[in-house]
Amino acid sequence: MPSRRRTLLKVIILGDSGYVNKKFSNQYKATIGADFLTKEVQFEDRLFTLQIWDTAGQERFQSLGVAFYRGADCCVLVYDVNSMKSFDNLNNWREEFLIQASPSDPENFPFVVIGNKIDVDGGNSRVVSEKKARAWCASKGNIPYFETSAKEGINVEEAFQCIAKNALKSGEEEEIYLPDVIDVANSGQTRSTGCEC
Amino acid sequence: MIADRAEDEEKWLAAGMTGLQQNAFHMHRALDSNNLRDALKYSAQMLSELRTSKLSPHKYYVLYMRAFDELRKLEMFFKEEARRGCSVIDLYELVQHAGNILPRLYLLCTVGSVYIKSKEAPAKDVLKDLVEMCRGIQHPVRGLFLRSYLSQVSRDKLPDIGSDYEGDGDTVVDAVDFVLQNFTEMNKLWVRMQHQGPAREKEKREKERSELRDLVGKNLHVLSQIEGVDLEMYKETVLPRVLEQVVNCKDEIAQFYLMECIIQVFPDEYHLQTLDVLLGACPQLQPSVDIKTVLSQLMERLSNYAASSAEVLPEFLQVEAFSKLSNAIGKVIEAQVDMPTIGVVTLYSSLLKFTLHVHPDRLDYADQVLGACVKKLSGKGKIEDNKATKQIVALLSAPLEKYNDIVTALKLSNYPRVMEYLDNETNKVMATVIIQSILKNKTQISTAEKMEALFELIKGLIKDLDGIPDDELDEDDFKEEQNSVARLIQMLSNDDPEEMFKIICTVRKHVLTGGPKRLLFTVPPLVFSSLKLVRQLQGQEENPFGDDLSTTPKKIFQLLNQTIEALSSIPVPDLALRLYLQCAEAANDCELEPVAYEFFTQAYILYEEEISDSKAQVTAIHLIIGTLQRMHVFGVENKDTLTHKATGYSAKLLKKPDQCRAVYACGHLFWVDDQENMKDGDRVLICLKRALRIANAAQQMSNAARGSTGSVTLFVEILNKYLYFFEKGNPQITVASIQSLIELITNEMQSESTTPDPATDAFFASTLRYIEFQKQKGGAVGEKYEPIKA
């Protein structure tokens, strides 16, 4: 029986550019705190429940801080392909996440990067090329990269599939509390750096 | 004390975390072995850690988040249990056996979430039950977090339109009711904090409240995300009930924060359609609430909305947004007698930006806003507050940014009146902003009247305000600002010469009041702008009736003469001399001999009386010679006088080499290519011979003083002049004279007393190469050069 803890995944979405779980709208609407949603994803024969904390985009009200970063299984970084600043900020977001969430193995923590709004103005206003984005992802330990359109949310599903796949690979090593449950035979296995999709 | 407290808090948090993790571990084992009883027991123990009162909201949140994550695993287990056939209703009953109320309610909310998902009972009933049960916790911090938990787990299970939980009597109304009720209860808990505990801990309490505010505000965000909350429902239910709570809670912190939330989380068009209601709430808030910030945020949002697309503008007109906002601001300012100037200006600045975006065609609205601002500022004298003056600059810059055209702003009668309230320093900053706008947009100021108005606005840069020179001004800053004034004057233009003349007269009138330091920067561009007008008129037929009123070059020249004279107060004779010569040349092109002669006379007087530095003299004399050479308007007599003077000046320069160069340059005065009557070969030759004599004398002087003759550069230069006039066909310049000059130079160069100079050698060599080159050209030129032996 698959471990319950490995089919329940906590995902944090960060970045200057919003979307993913929100319906895209040009209308400005501030977000207060993080938006919390659950989503079920089928990967291979397993059903994963993702708890998604989405704070990407718009102005942030966060009077209580970011304690919700802790215990995350994956962090999705979103930027707007039409805004260089949002791309430049990915690094800040990544570092801020690693500091605040302080995962046990920051080098191999699974991130996913999403380039958003590729369809705006028929792609004419795009300023961050796919190549540039992929190069950045490669430099940060082969972070999987996806591009999504604002209107239709294409590839969002693939991104979530990837998160599930990542979790399946790295899931065996997540037990932290009380060492007597760790399977000694598994402890020597090589760590993955994220999926290749 | 504070450090101790923080340390203690860390310890308490660590202890809480350990307790929580231990129980979570046992809960996991119970879950893995499907032991429901143990799972409930340990989860309740785990949740008991949240009963602490020792942690600040920040630290409590860390503990809460940890419990939240653990409860997700329990929730999964409950789901599986339900799938395995365990009744959710039984689970719902079962968890209520937990001993303590706080763990019991957390567990209840967790099962409740599964309960709604199972659809075994209507969502609205479960939600209603939960939101009522949460009343059991009246401790503000614990209560707020518990209700926040309820809000989070129910977030995606509300019977919203299009959701899985709608239907069977469950409607979006139930969803909205539930969130509104939770919001109201949370706000009450939050406000109550203010009144608990000793008065001396007010500051600490307010800090804690500030940390907790987003838990309350989150409910408004949830409301804004509910699909079914359309404009109608927002207008009829959501906004009135939210505002009712905001107004009735009578709490300054809550009112300010929640108004900000309302403005930020709901869509623009909702705000537009409910302006009356939202603005109507403002006067009902506590007097200490910072309403100006609230209103400014609202207007900023609406301005951005208006700027986003022209399609939305009719909406603004339809609801008469401007007059509503304008009224509301008036009321707020009236009600808050003590509002500082910055508050007043900020409000009007936001309103002005709003009207500029929404009603770009209604200048009267903009003027109305400025007028209201003036009214409020009147009687306060110059504004001292730095931030307030900055706001005024923002206020006054808004129309410039919107229209990119100062001329539009000049139509605003209250614009200069607002500027009156700026201190001298800020007045200048504003003047610079205005000029930059004109320069950037190349705005044409089309009438003297507008120019007058413009100079009224920028007078801070034109003259010393209050008649007191500002000694403390940084030199570079002064140059910068005066240069921008100069650029403004330089770009004056108008196709109608009559109007242009009036504009120049206006500018001149103001500029001449600027004092010596400014004239240096402003007179030259004024002169050139006037000359531009002369060029414009030149070639036009003079009015045959000699109408005194019409603009003629003569009139402009008279004005120019007086304008340049103003420079004598600085004094800058070399600049004045250049300007006189420039005018003389323009007069020459207008065939005005007496005028041109007068300008030359002025230049000569300056040369004789004011320019005493020998370097400046050299520069001046070459300018004089160059200009005089281009003059064709002079009759023989005038020409002779001026030429004679110029050659006289040349021969009297201090240094021999300077003398020599000026004298051979005078040669050009007697030989003008395109004028047959201006080719006096004899006098050219006299000049060149005289230059040779001076060069000789220079060598001898050098020999006597230093023991070496110095270089032969002067001779090579003179040789080049010989070649020039030879080529031009001056009959006095013969092959023999050139030949002997070449020999002279060759001998001198070989002489032992001559200082070797590679530059001169190269100069001479290339001169000889030129002769060879001309020879090889053949034809008439080649034939002419042929006899010269290099």
Side-chain angles (χ1 to χ4, degrees):
Chain A
M1 179 195 131
S3 162
R4 182 175 295 112
R5 286 178 287 290
R6 266 179 284 119
T7 54
L8 183 63
L9 300 172
K10 182 168 176 178
V11 179
I12 311 290
I13 301 177
L14 301 175
D16 290 356
S17 168
Y19 174 31
V20 185
N21 277 291
K22 291 175 199 152
K23 209 173 294 167
F24 179 78
S25 154
N26 278 320
Q27 274 264 13
Y28 167 88
K29 272 187 188 175
T31 303
I32 296 178
D35 220 4
F36 173 76
L37 293 148
T38 55
K39 186 176 174 66
E40 291 187 337
V41 173
Q42 182 82 36
F43 182 71
E44 292 178 353
D45 57 341
R46 289 213 237 167
L47 187 67
F48 287 84
T49 303
L50 309 188
Q51 353 159 11
I52 299 166
W53 295 80
D54 186 358
T55 76
Q58 315 273 359
E59 192 175 323
R60 263 163 285 272
F61 286 70
Q62 246 158 41
S63 64
L64 276 168
V66 291
F68 61 89
Y69 287 6
R70 287 176 186 256
D73 297 293
C74 177
C75 176
V76 179
L77 302 172
V78 190
Y79 77 98
D80 177 353
V81 299
N82 307 295
S83 154
M84 190 51 83
K85 191 167 160 271
S86 74
F87 178 73
D88 290 340
N89 275 339
L90 286 183
N91 214 25
N92 298 340
W93 283 117
R94 181 175 172 274
E95 278 168 20
E96 139 119 0
F97 175 80
L98 290 175
I99 290 166
Q100 300 289 347
S102 50
S104 55
D105 183 12
E107 289 301 304
N108 293 310
F109 186 85
F111 284 95
V112 168
V113 170
I114 291 182
N116 190 21
K117 304 187 191 175
I118 51 168
D119 56 341
V120 169
D121 193 20
N124 287 326
S125 58
R126 181 167 186 152
V127 291
V128 183
S129 69
E130 186 174 341
K131 198 176 152 200
K132 187 174 174 137
R134 285 195 184 277
W136 185 83
C137 290
S139 76
K140 299 292 171 193
N142 286 324
I143 300 177
Y145 178 72
F146 298 90
E147 296 204 335
T148 64
S149 76
K151 281 197 202 92
E152 286 154 38
I154 47 159
N155 282 337
V156 173
E157 211 48 48
E158 282 87 334
F160 285 122
Q161 293 275 332
C162 176
I163 291 167
K165 187 173 163 192
N166 258 330
L168 207 56
K169 281 201 209 165
S170 58
E172 320 300 328
E173 42 184 298
E174 82 166 273
E175 295 293 342
I176 312 161
Y177 190 73
L178 293 191
D180 57 330
V181 292
I182 288 193
D183 183 352
V184 181
N186 271 346
S187 62
Q189 107 183 21
T190 51
R191 286 169 175 179
S192 88
T193 54
C195 67
E196 316 304 326
C197 53
Chain B
M1 257 290 279
I2 295 170
D4 279 354
R5 225 193 98 81
E7 220 172 89
D8 286 348
E9 242 200 298
E10 282 298 337
K11 271 186 223 152
W12 290 322
L13 175 60
M17 280 299 233
T18 309
L20 199 149
Q21 278 177 325
Q22 256 161 15
N23 285 304
F25 172 72
H26 291 296
M27 182 188 85
H28 293 168
R29 294 184 67 161
L31 296 183
D32 286 344
S33 52
N34 287 328
N35 184 338
L36 176 63
R37 236 178 63 100
D38 276 3
L40 292 180
K41 178 180 146 197
Y42 287 113
S43 56
Q45 282 178 21
M46 172 184 85
L47 289 163
S48 289
E49 298 296 339
L50 292 176
R51 295 169 62 215
T52 178
S53 309
K54 292 176 174 170
L55 298 175
S56 70
H58 233 103
K59 293 280 187 285
Y60 191 93
Y61 184 50
V62 174
L63 204 59
Y64 164 87
M65 267 321 303
R66 188 59 211 248
F68 184 96
D69 287 346
E70 294 301 340
L71 286 175
R72 303 282 61 70
K73 292 162 194 165
L74 186 65
E75 187 183 25
M76 290 275 286
F77 174 75
F78 287 154
K79 263 188 230 167
E80 283 161 18
E81 284 290 288
R83 218 172 292 150
R84 275 195 292 266
C86 177
S87 149
V88 197
I89 304 159
D90 291 347
L91 273 176
Y92 198 72
E93 293 297 328
L94 196 58
V95 294
Q96 301 196 36
H97 293 294
N100 287 311
I101 181 164
L102 190 70
R104 194 193 309 152
L105 291 175
Y106 271 102
L107 290 175
L108 198 62
C109 291
T110 312
V111 182
S113 148
V114 180
Y115 197 2
I116 300 173
K117 214 171 161 87
S118 75
K119 295 184 183 170
E120 286 183 32
K124 71 172 172 192
D125 293 347
V126 181
L127 291 171
K128 193 155 179 54
D129 194 40
L130 291 173
V131 79
E132 293 285 345
M133 297 283 263
C134 285
R135 282 181 201 269
I137 303 295
Q138 288 296 316
H139 180 278
V141 176
R142 292 200 285 270
L144 282 169
F145 276 100
L146 173 67
R147 286 186 178 276
S148 166
Y149 182 73
L150 172 60
S151 162
Q152 274 171 314
V153 294
S154 61
R155 173 76 175 81
D156 50 6
K157 296 174 190 76
L158 300 175
D160 189 5
I161 286 178
S163 89
D164 290 346
Y165 309 98
E166 192 200 10
D168 286 340
D170 279 343
T171 68
V172 65
V173 176
D174 301 310
V176 170
D177 272 345
F178 166 74
V179 180
L180 278 171
Q181 195 181 342
N182 205 32
F183 162 72
T184 307
E185 294 300 328
M186 284 178 89
N187 192 44
K188 284 180 183 165
L189 288 170
W190 190 43
V191 170
R192 192 179 312 143
M193 270 182 91
Q194 193 71 15
H195 310 288
Q196 286 176 345
R200 66 189 146 80
E201 287 186 355
K202 184 164 176 270
E203 205 173 307
K204 178 183 155 237
R205 216 157 37 228
E206 290 188 348
K207 184 177 169 278
E208 292 189 352
R209 285 196 65 199
S210 159
E211 286 173 12
L212 290 165
R213 63 182 181 201
D214 283 353
L215 297 182
V216 185
K218 179 77 193 172
N219 291 295
L220 300 181
H221 178 234
V222 172
L223 284 170
S224 78
Q225 300 288 104
I226 295 178
E227 280 292 295
V229 175
D230 53 9
L231 176 59
E232 184 67 19
M233 184 175 289
Y234 178 75
K235 203 172 177 177
E236 299 303 325
T237 312
V238 175
L239 184 63
R241 283 188 55 190
V242 170
L243 284 178
E244 186 191 356
Q245 174 57 214
V246 172
V247 169
N248 289 344
C249 76
K250 295 197 174 8
D251 176 83
E252 177 194 344
I253 296 174
Q255 290 183 335
F256 178 71
Y257 171 72
L258 292 172
M259 287 302 279
E260 189 189 0
C261 285
I262 294 172
I263 290 168
Q264 299 302 335
V265 302
F266 291 106
D268 302 293
E269 68 255 36
Y270 285 17
H271 291 319
L272 259 191
Q273 298 296 335
T274 55
L275 260 186
D276 295 314
V277 185
L278 192 57
L279 293 172
C282 289
Q284 298 180 62
L285 304 179
Q286 300 302 104
S288 51
V289 173
D290 179 9
I291 302 182
K292 73 152 201 303
T293 305
V294 172
L295 286 177
S296 295
Q297 282 170 345
L298 176 63
M299 286 185 281
E300 197 186 321
R301 261 209 84 162
L302 294 179
S303 301
N304 289 341
Y305 181 49
S308 69
S309 155
E311 288 166 27
V312 303
L313 289 181
E315 270 181 69
F316 285 82
L317 302 184
Q318 176 229 322
V319 302
E320 296 177 339
F322 173 73
S323 65
K324 281 177 187 165
L325 286 167
S326 184
N327 278 336
I329 286 172
K331 276 188 193 146
V332 166
I333 291 174
E334 215 169 283
Q336 303 199 350
V337 197
D338 298 330
M339 189 187 282
T341 307
I342 173 140
V344 175
V345 182
T346 307
L347 277 176
Y348 283 121
S349 187
S350 305
L351 182 60
L352 183 64
K353 276 182 199 148
F354 173 84
T355 177
L356 289 172
H357 276 124
V358 180
H359 305 283
D361 53 331
R362 293 298 299 263
L363 265 184
D364 55 327
Y365 283 179
D367 207 26
Q368 209 174 305
V369 177
L370 291 172
C373 189
V374 168
K375 216 169 135 197
K376 273 287 138 200
L377 293 175
S378 68
K380 294 198 173 164
K382 301 264 183 204
I383 293 155
E384 306 280 330
D385 177 13
N386 227 329
K387 284 180 190 156
T389 53
K390 257 189 206 150
Q391 264 308 322
I392 295 194
V393 171
L395 174 83
L396 293 172
S397 302
L400 299 180
E401 279 157 22
K402 174 65 193 177
Y403 296 111
N404 287 324
D405 179 6
I406 182 70
V407 176
T408 312
L410 291 176
K411 288 182 198 145
L412 302 168
S413 65
N414 287 306
Y415 198 92
R417 292 174 64 199
V418 177
M419 271 189 89
E420 292 292 322
Y421 291 96
L422 292 173
D423 59 301
N424 291 353
E425 204 42 51
T426 320
N427 202 305
K428 278 201 220 168
V429 171
M430 195 56 230
T432 310
V433 170
I434 291 173
I435 295 182
Q436 295 304 342
S437 156
I438 297 174
L439 295 177
K440 194 179 116 221
N441 301 300
K442 302 193 169 63
T443 314
Q444 208 193 20
I445 315 292
S446 54
T447 68
E449 203 183 328
K450 284 179 190 160
M451 196 47 105
E452 189 73 48
L454 174 64
F455 269 79
E456 181 58 27
L457 290 185
I458 61 166
K459 64 184 171 197
L461 297 180
I462 302 303
K463 60 182 177 193
D464 297 323
L465 291 173
D466 317 326
I468 312 159
D470 189 354
D471 295 329
E472 284 174 18
L473 189 62
D474 181 79
E475 195 67 28
D476 287 341
D477 288 351
F478 181 76
K479 271 188 195 163
E480 184 108 350
E481 65 176 47
Q482 291 306 313
N483 275 330
S484 65
V485 176
R487 280 158 65 200
L488 172 71
I489 300 173
Q490 184 75 44
M491 65 170 276
L492 298 177
S493 76
N494 194 315
D495 291 338
D496 174 14
E498 300 298 331
E499 197 57 47
M500 182 64 187
F501 185 67
K502 280 189 206 152
I503 290 173
I504 286 172
C505 288
T506 306
V507 174
R508 182 176 174 274
K509 183 182 80 190
H510 288 281
V511 156
L512 290 186
T513 61
K517 276 177 82 181
R518 291 189 182 82
L519 287 178
L520 187 61
F521 293 90
T522 49
V523 167
L526 180 59
V527 167
F528 282 100
S529 275
S530 309
L531 289 177
K532 203 158 60 185
L533 177 58
V534 170
R535 302 284 180 198
Q536 200 175 325
L537 289 167
Q538 178 188 324
Q540 283 180 12
E541 285 296 307
E542 194 131 340
N543 189 335
F545 304 106
D547 183 356
D548 280 349
L549 292 173
S550 68
T551 306
T552 62
K554 227 183 215 164
K555 260 166 90 172
I556 301 167
F557 283 126
Q558 280 163 11
L559 201 69
L560 277 167
N561 222 323
Q562 294 158 14
T563 307
I564 302 172
E565 243 173 53
L567 288 177
S568 63
S569 63
I570 306 181
V572 275
D574 36 356
L575 174 63
L577 179 132
R578 282 166 193 262
L579 295 175
Y580 279 132
L581 291 177
Q582 207 71 46
C583 291
E585 206 167 340
N588 174 72
D589 296 344
C590 296
E591 310 292 338
L592 295 170
E593 184 179 3
V595 177
Y597 189 80
E598 174 61 21
F599 281 122
F600 256 96
T601 312
Q602 295 298 340
Y604 279 19
I605 292 171
L606 283 177
Y607 182 84
E608 286 176 11
E609 294 178 0
E610 305 284 342
I611 301 178
S612 49
D613 175 73
S614 46
K615 252 191 194 158
Q617 283 183 339
V618 173
T619 312
I621 195 70
H622 281 282
L623 286 169
I624 289 173
I625 295 167
T627 312
L628 189 51
Q629 200 260 354
R630 286 191 294 275
M631 300 301 251
H632 57 77
V633 74
F634 290 135
V636 179
E637 203 172 308
N638 283 342
K639 176 92 185 179
D640 272 356
T641 313
L642 294 174
T643 312
H644 184 73
K645 276 274 179 193
T647 47
Y649 296 153
S650 302
K652 286 194 198 83
L653 287 170
L654 179 66
K655 293 189 202 157
K656 289 283 169 194
D658 290 341
Q659 266 182 27
C660 172
R661 289 187 175 113
V663 167
Y664 71 61
C666 283
H668 287 287
L669 292 176
F670 304 103
W671 195 277
V672 180
D673 263 352
D674 48 2
Q675 279 173 273
E676 273 320 305
N677 60 343
M678 279 308 302
K679 291 197 166 109
D680 188 341
D682 287 330
R683 295 184 71 175
V684 171
L685 188 62
I686 291 169
C687 286
L688 294 186
K689 278 188 167 165
R690 198 160 168 194
L692 268 176
R693 273 204 304 281
I694 300 168
N696 239 328
Q699 281 220 319
Q700 279 163 16
M701 265 176 64
S702 174
N703 210 357
R706 297 206 183 78
S708 73
T709 49
S711 94
V712 293
T713 312
L714 287 174
F715 290 110
V716 184
E717 286 172 24
I718 296 167
L719 169 63
N720 274 276
K721 288 289 162 194
Y722 265 83
L723 290 175
Y724 173 84
F725 288 110
F726 176 66
E727 217 174 293
K728 292 288 178 190
N730 183 336
Q732 303 304 322
I733 310 295
T734 60
V735 171
S737 58
I738 292 171
Q739 197 68 59
S740 66
L741 192 49
I742 292 173
E743 274 160 28
L744 172 77
I745 295 167
T746 318
N747 287 340
E748 283 290 330
M749 286 175 108
Q750 283 157 1
S751 152
E752 280 176 8
S753 58
T754 307
T755 323
D757 176 8
T760 309
D761 292 351
F763 186 18
F764 184 52
S766 70
T767 308
L768 295 182
R769 257 203 316 280
Y770 175 77
I771 295 171
E772 279 307 314
F773 177 74
Q774 293 297 75
K775 273 190 201 173
Q776 280 161 19
K777 254 190 191 169
V781 181
E783 228 164 79
K784 208 164 169 31
Y785 272 90
E786 195 47 48
I788 303 175
K789 292 193 189 74

